[in-house]
Amino acid sequence: MNSKYIKENSNDVVHHLEYNAERSHLIIPEYGRHLQKLIDQATKIEDDVERNKAAKYIIQVMGSLNPHLRDVPDFQHKLWDQIFIMSDFKLVADSPYPIPSREVLQLKPDVLSYPQNFPKYRYYGNNIKYMIDVANKWEDGEMKSALVKVIANHMKKSYLSWNKDTVKDDVIFEHLYELSDGKLNLLQSTEELLNTTDLLRTNKRVSNKISPAGPPKIQSNKNTKTGKPNPIHKNQNRKPL
C-alpha cells in the first residue's frame, strides 16, 4: 500500500488539533492567519535573493486581497509598511520605501488642548461670551448698538431652545449686563427684542431640518373620505400597442 494513503487514527487527529487559544496573536487580523504564516516563513529564509522574492510575492498577495485600494496614493508604500509590521520588524528585505521602526510606530500623538470653559449660563454657549467680549472692545456707535442687539436676540433664541417657554426681555438684558461685566447695559433701554413666537417657530423649523429622515411613506390606494379603494381607471389595464 502506498505510504501516502496511510489511514490515520481519528483519536490522534483530534488530539493534535490546533485551537485558536494556542495560536500566536495576529498583528493585523484583517489579512488572516495564512498570510501571517507566509510572512513568518519568509522571515526564516536565509538566502537574501529568495527572501526578497518571497517578500515581493507576499506583497502581490496582499494587494490582491484589497483590490479596491489600488487607486489609493502610496498603496504600495502602505503594503510594505504592513509586511514589516506583521513580521514584528524581523523581516530583512530590500524595500523601495523607508523601513518603519518600532519606536516610530509606538509614538503617541500630543494631547490636544481643548478650551475648558465653564460658563455660568451654559445654554448660551461659549460663542455668546466671545461675541460679548468683542462688542466690549468696539467704540460706541451704530455698529456697536446693532451688534449688541444681535447678541441679545441670539441669547433669547438660545434661552428659548433650552426653556421651551416664554422669556421676558428684562431677563436677557440682565444676563447680558452680567456677562459683559456691566459694560453692555440695556436695562433702561426701550429696545424690544424679537417676538417669542417667531423665535420658537424658527427653532422648530431648524430642528425639523436636522432631524433624520424617516422611512418613506407608502401611499394608500384608499379614498381618505370614504375609506374605500380608489376605482381603477379604464385605461389602466390597457395593453400597450
Side-chain angles (χ1 to χ4, degrees):
M1 186 176 180
N2 192 351
S3 59
K4 186 186 296 185
Y5 303 103
I6 296 177
K7 186 176 181 181
E8 296 181 352
N9 190 359
S10 59
N11 293 329
D12 295 339
V13 174
V14 173
H15 180 72
H16 294 290
L17 281 176
E18 188 179 9
Y19 294 95
N20 286 331
E22 300 174 353
R23 294 175 174 176
S24 59
H25 177 68
L26 291 177
I27 301 176
I28 303 181
E30 289 80 2
Y31 287 105
R33 189 166 297 277
H34 295 295
L35 193 62
Q36 182 68 51
K37 290 182 177 180
L38 281 176
I39 296 175
D40 295 340
Q41 293 176 3
T43 306
K44 298 177 182 178
I45 299 176
E46 297 181 357
D47 188 15
D48 294 339
V49 178
E50 294 296 329
R51 189 171 56 252
N52 286 322
K53 288 182 179 179
K56 292 180 181 178
Y57 171 75
I58 295 173
I59 290 293
Q60 293 178 2
V61 175
M62 293 171 65
S64 62
L65 292 176
N66 298 299
H68 58 284
L69 297 177
R70 289 184 178 178
D71 297 333
V72 177
D74 297 335
F75 176 58
Q76 290 291 327
H77 192 179
K78 180 180 179 180
L79 294 181
W80 278 101
D81 290 347
Q82 288 178 344
I83 193 175
F84 286 114
I85 294 172
M86 293 176 68
S87 66
D88 199 16
F89 302 96
K90 297 178 181 178
L91 178 64
V92 180
D94 298 333
S95 172
Y97 305 99
I99 300 176
S101 61
R102 191 189 304 273
E103 292 77 13
V104 176
L105 187 66
Q106 293 178 351
L107 284 177
K108 294 183 179 180
D110 298 334
V111 180
L112 294 176
S113 56
Y114 289 101
Q116 300 295 331
N117 295 330
F118 302 97
K120 182 178 181 180
Y121 305 105
R122 291 179 177 270
Y123 41 85
Y124 290 139
N126 292 325
N127 292 332
I128 287 291
K129 187 64 174 67
Y130 296 151
M131 295 172 66
I132 292 175
D133 294 339
V134 172
N136 288 334
K137 299 177 182 179
W138 284 19
E139 297 180 357
D140 295 338
E142 296 182 359
M143 294 292 293
K144 183 175 181 179
S145 301
L147 178 60
V148 172
K149 185 177 180 181
V150 169
I151 294 174
N153 282 315
H154 194 72
M155 291 175 62
K156 187 174 182 180
K157 180 180 177 181
S158 301
Y159 190 98
L160 290 173
S161 64
W162 166 74
N163 193 15
K164 301 295 183 183
D165 202 351
T166 183
V167 57
K168 295 182 179 180
D169 294 349
D170 298 339
V171 176
I172 302 298
F173 295 155
E174 291 177 1
H175 292 172
L176 180 62
Y177 181 80
E178 182 179 357
L179 293 176
S180 64
D181 297 330
K183 297 180 181 180
L184 302 180
N185 189 359
L186 296 179
L187 297 176
Q188 305 299 329
S189 175
T190 58
E191 190 75 34
E192 292 184 0
L193 301 179
L194 294 177
N195 192 7
T196 302
T197 306
D198 297 336
L199 290 175
L200 288 174
R201 189 183 300 111
T202 303
N203 291 340
K204 184 177 181 181
R205 189 184 305 115
V206 172
S207 63
N208 290 336
K209 287 183 179 180
I210 63 176
S211 61
K217 296 181 179 180
I218 301 176
Q219 187 176 2
S220 176
N221 61 346
K222 292 184 178 181
N223 195 337
T224 55
K225 295 182 179 180
T226 60
K228 298 181 180 180
N230 293 325
I232 300 176
H233 197 269
K234 294 181 179 180
N235 299 329
Q236 185 172 351
N237 296 328
R238 186 177 177 183
K239 295 182 179 180
L241 298 176

